[in-house]
Amino acid sequence: MVDAERSTALRDAAAEAAGCVRCPLAEGRTQVVFGEGNPDAELVLVGEAPGFHEDRDGRPFAGRARELLERLLGSVGLSLDVAYLATVLKCRPPGNRDPLPAEIAACEPFLYRQLELIRPSVVAPLGSFATALLSGRALGITRVHGQEQPVTLGGRTVTLYPLYHPAAALYTPTMLEVLERDVARLPELLGARAAPPLDLPPARVGPETADPVESRARQPVQLGLF
């Protein structure tokens, strides 16, 4: 599939998701957060679900979590421009609560369609929910972060590389250190020679924001985020 066809197919899938009413989350959303980025990306980053800002803006990852993600990728010569960003759920759960199994089941066909069309070589689930779904194993992120494994997604074998979610790392310096080490291996896994690090400001670590998505990340979640 050529790039133009892939982009068109992704837009068609996004349009379908925009009208989705497969689960009750459709009733409370501002808009569907389908995903964004390079349709020919070798790296796809998959988060859990939209939060307040994502629901408002219609873009995956927002605020300081996005800033940290940009800094981490920039430190190894990568950028968000060469990646594709997606989430397991495409609609915000009420109060940013954890996704329910029925909601994940309703949304996962959209995610798998994205992976089928983009055909990445590395898929990095951020946090426990995305890791459990894409690995097929209900293991906490603390047990599997930074451990690559081959999995079949979208009809082809890719490298699954679980990472801590940057929103969680913002509040835990030791977790941030681990995330930095894990991200440093991405160029190797992508089979690419890293470009010179980008000159980005350091991430702010600490409770300086009332972002509801990032606030949720301070609390342990069902599958062992911490």
Side-chain angles (χ1 to χ4, degrees):
M1 181 178 291
V2 298
D3 290 352
E5 293 175 337
R6 182 177 292 113
S7 296
T8 298
L10 280 169
R11 284 195 296 269
D12 290 344
E16 180 184 351
C20 178
V21 290
R22 297 178 184 175
C23 78
L25 291 182
E27 300 171 5
R29 71 186 179 218
T30 301
Q31 56 188 314
V32 168
V33 183
F34 181 73
E36 69 173 25
N38 186 347
D40 196 36
E42 289 295 321
L43 171 64
V44 173
L45 302 167
V46 182
E48 175 184 316
F52 173 81
H53 294 294
E54 290 85 354
D55 176 66
R56 180 193 64 190
D57 300 338
R59 305 179 66 195
F61 299 94
R64 292 174 57 197
R66 191 184 189 98
E67 292 173 3
L68 176 57
L69 195 55
E70 289 178 324
R71 183 184 73 80
L72 291 169
L73 292 176
S75 71
V76 295
L78 301 173
S79 74
L80 290 182
D81 293 337
V82 300
Y84 191 91
L85 307 180
T87 47
V88 173
L89 297 189
K90 308 305 185 188
C91 298
R92 179 194 181 196
N96 298 319
R97 61 157 171 74
D98 294 339
L100 300 178
E103 295 164 353
I104 294 174
C107 254
E108 64 181 20
F110 291 119
L111 177 59
Y112 289 132
R113 179 60 173 158
Q114 288 170 300
L115 297 175
E116 178 184 17
L117 291 170
I118 296 167
R119 300 176 62 83
S121 59
V122 176
V123 176
L126 307 179
S128 290
F129 282 93
T131 297
L133 172 64
L134 296 177
S135 69
R137 303 165 64 197
L139 297 176
I141 190 65
T142 54
R143 295 182 58 184
V144 297
H145 72 84
Q147 301 175 34
E148 70 271 23
Q149 58 177 302
V151 298
T152 300
L153 295 172
R156 60 195 298 269
T157 300
V158 304
T159 297
L160 193 73
Y161 189 56
L163 298 171
Y164 282 123
H165 197 291
L170 281 167
Y171 295 96
T172 312
T174 54
M175 186 183 295
L176 178 57
E177 293 174 3
V178 172
L179 181 57
E180 289 172 337
R181 290 197 299 269
D182 289 346
V183 168
R185 293 195 56 221
L186 279 173
E188 169 195 346
L189 296 174
L190 290 165
R193 185 175 179 178
L198 302 179
D199 186 16
L200 296 173
R204 295 170 294 152
V205 178
E208 300 175 11
T209 178
D211 187 319
V213 181
E214 295 169 5
S215 297
R216 177 181 61 181
R218 304 179 202 178
Q219 303 299 323
V221 299
Q222 174 181 339
L223 294 174
L225 181 60
F226 296 102

